């Protein structure tokens, strides 16, 4: 037999309760109960405003306030009973409020609708999540900065196409991700500033005839201002889309770093050793130490980007203002947020715990003719060759070294002079990896002095 208790919330319009299938597809309490704190905060602000405007009595407002605080305590201690028949968090809270305080509970919904209520709750939840995300990203930046500081002058190969390109420093490579995450933080901050408008008081879609003070409720809930158009306020989910879009970009950055950690921790590279806390073994191969945390982080972008595409698809064909389709917005955002925060936390742990193998980095830095560009630059600077000619001469010398099974610093001077007579033994000063990185002194370059300057800049930013 279907529970018809929800009918009291609808009044006299519906004589019979929904059947089990309709109840299941219509209910959202299974996931929107996560917005309980935000829902109660919104209701408290609304009740206080109603009393201040003389729309409800101070006595009723006080009863509502005390009742909402009781409900919040019940939820926080796990004593609150969420009922699917009551559909969503809003009606669950209101029904419990009526049980606690009686008639005054019915006055809480004056001058508002579930449409502006859910828009406010969801906006508050996403805003809170952005604050949590920013804190997590900054913590990860600090972990990367610690690695950069420790190895500001440690040489390692820089790559293009995953082929050795030019020597760089470990500190420089770590700072690249600090920069990426800095852009991520700025995107979230921009999104937060844009979303910080309060929908509460726009009611179902057209506003209300009650003399409400929307500025007061906006201030009470930490918003910068009330939303200026009631239709847009109810219909808008841009704030959730911006959150997911920013999360997708940031998760992509985490995935790139995760991929490098997978490669670097392999036996073939041995650039880093990941701690046991973020690795697993094999059920059959006792020698294995698998970078599972990194691999799972690498996969999270698919889940988060999927949520982004999913919400865009939900919203793309909806006329103004509210449609029940919009109930499908929250699960995707909640899931993406959970997985994004897990990825950030796991990456921070891995970065803090990992150990860079300085000797392996150095050995790899000198392989693959990584100082060939330094040789070409020397030919331009010292002998006045056009760069294209210097590029050709260097290419020939690389081919000679490859044929002899040696790297450029080991190629005999006579072989170099056979290709261009102006080459002197001074060329060997630029062919060492330390000299190579030290010479890249342009702003943003890999020279240790530049790396340390950027470390100092980021330390100041992140304090």
């Amino acid at each position: 037999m279907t529970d018809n208790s929800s009918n009291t919330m609808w009044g006299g319009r519906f004589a019979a309760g929904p059947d089990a299938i309709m109840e299941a597809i219509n209910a959202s309490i299974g996931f929107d109960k996560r917005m309980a704190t935000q829902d109660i905060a919104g209701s408290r602000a609304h009740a206080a405003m109603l009393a201040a405007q003389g729309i409800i009595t101070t006595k009723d407002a006080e009863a509502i306030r005390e009742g909402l605080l009781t409900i919040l305590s019940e939820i926080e201690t796990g004593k609150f009973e969420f009922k699917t028949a009551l559909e969503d968090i809003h009606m669950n809270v209101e029904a419990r409020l009526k049980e606690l305080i009686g008639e005054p509970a019915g006055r809480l919904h004056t001058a508002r609708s579930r449409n502006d209520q859910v828009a406010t709750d969801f906006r508050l939840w996403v805003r809170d999540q952005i604050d949590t995300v920013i804190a997590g990203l900054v913590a990860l930046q600090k972990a990367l900065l610690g690695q950069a500081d420790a190895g500001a002058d440690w040489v390692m190969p820089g790559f293009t196409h995953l082929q050795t390109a030019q020597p760089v420093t470990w500190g420089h490579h770590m700072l690249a991700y600090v920069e990426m995450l800095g852009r991520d933080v700025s995107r979230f901050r921009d999104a937060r500033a844009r979303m910080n408008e309060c929908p509460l008081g726009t009611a179902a879609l057209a506003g209300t005839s009650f003399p409400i003070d929307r500025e007061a409720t906006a201030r009470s809930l930490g918003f910068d201002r009330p939303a200026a158009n009631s239709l847009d306020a109810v219909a808008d989910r841009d704030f959730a889309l911006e959150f997911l879009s920013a999360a997708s970009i940031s998760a992509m950055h985490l995935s790139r770093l995760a991929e490098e950690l997978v490669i670097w921790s392999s036996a073939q590279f041995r650039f880093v050793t990941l701690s046991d806390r973020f690795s697993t073994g094999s059920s059959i191969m006792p020698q294995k130490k698998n970078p599972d945390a990194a691999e799972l982080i690498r996969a999270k972008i698919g889940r988060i980007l999927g949520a982004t595409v999913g919400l865009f698809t939900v919203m793309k064909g909806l006329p103004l203002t509210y449609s029940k389709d919009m109930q499908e917005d929250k699960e995707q955002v909640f899931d993406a947020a959970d997985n994004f925060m897990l990825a950030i936390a796991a990456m921070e742990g891995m970065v803090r715990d990992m150990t860079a193998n300085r000797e392996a980095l150095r050995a790899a830095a000198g392989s693959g003719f990584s100082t060939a560009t330094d040789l070409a630059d020397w030919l331009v600077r010292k002998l006045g060759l056009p760069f294209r000619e210097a590029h050709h001469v260097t290419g020939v010398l690389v081919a000679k070294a490859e044929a002899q099974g040696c790297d450029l610093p080991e190629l005999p001077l006579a072989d170099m002079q056979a290709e261009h007579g102006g080459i002197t033994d001074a060329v060997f000063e630029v062919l060492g990896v330390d000299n190579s990185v030290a010479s890249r002194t342009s702003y943003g370059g890999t020279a240790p002095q530049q790396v340390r300057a950027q470390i100092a800049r980021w330390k100041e930013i992140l304090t």
Side-chain angles (χ1 to χ4, degrees), residues 210-223:
F210 288 96
I212 61 173
D213 184 351
R214 294 192 58 218
E215 293 281 355
T217 48
R219 285 194 305 271
S220 177
L221 293 169
F223 288 107

Side-chain angles (χ1 to χ4, degrees), residues 16 28 37 70 80 100 108 119 167 193 202 218 224 242 253 267 282 296 304 373 376 379 385 390 402 408 431:
S28 61
T37 300
T70 298
F80 189 90
L100 289 171
L108 174 59
T202 58
D224 294 331
E242 280 202 73
H253 290 153
S282 166
L296 288 166
I304 295 165
T373 305
L379 292 171
L385 272 64
E402 190 171 35
L408 282 174
L431 294 183

Side-chain angles (χ1 to χ4, degrees), residues 352-429:
R352 285 193 185 279
D353 286 3
M354 73 181 180
T355 302
N357 186 341
R358 185 176 183 178
E359 295 309 314
L361 291 169
R362 183 177 185 81
S367 65
F369 311 106
S370 64
T371 55
T373 305
D374 297 278
L375 174 56
D377 290 346
W378 186 89
L379 292 171
V380 171
R381 285 197 313 271
K382 298 298 183 180
L383 303 186
L385 272 64
F387 183 79
R388 286 302 172 196
E389 183 181 346
H391 187 282
H392 172 76
V393 170
T394 301
V396 172
L397 296 180
V398 166
K400 284 187 176 183
E402 190 171 35
Q404 295 181 29
C406 67
D407 210 332
L408 282 174
E410 287 78 50
L411 189 66
L413 178 61
D415 287 351
M416 294 186 185
Q417 291 174 331
E419 182 59 30
H420 194 288
I423 298 176
T424 68
D425 59 2
V427 74
F428 293 103
E429 295 176 4

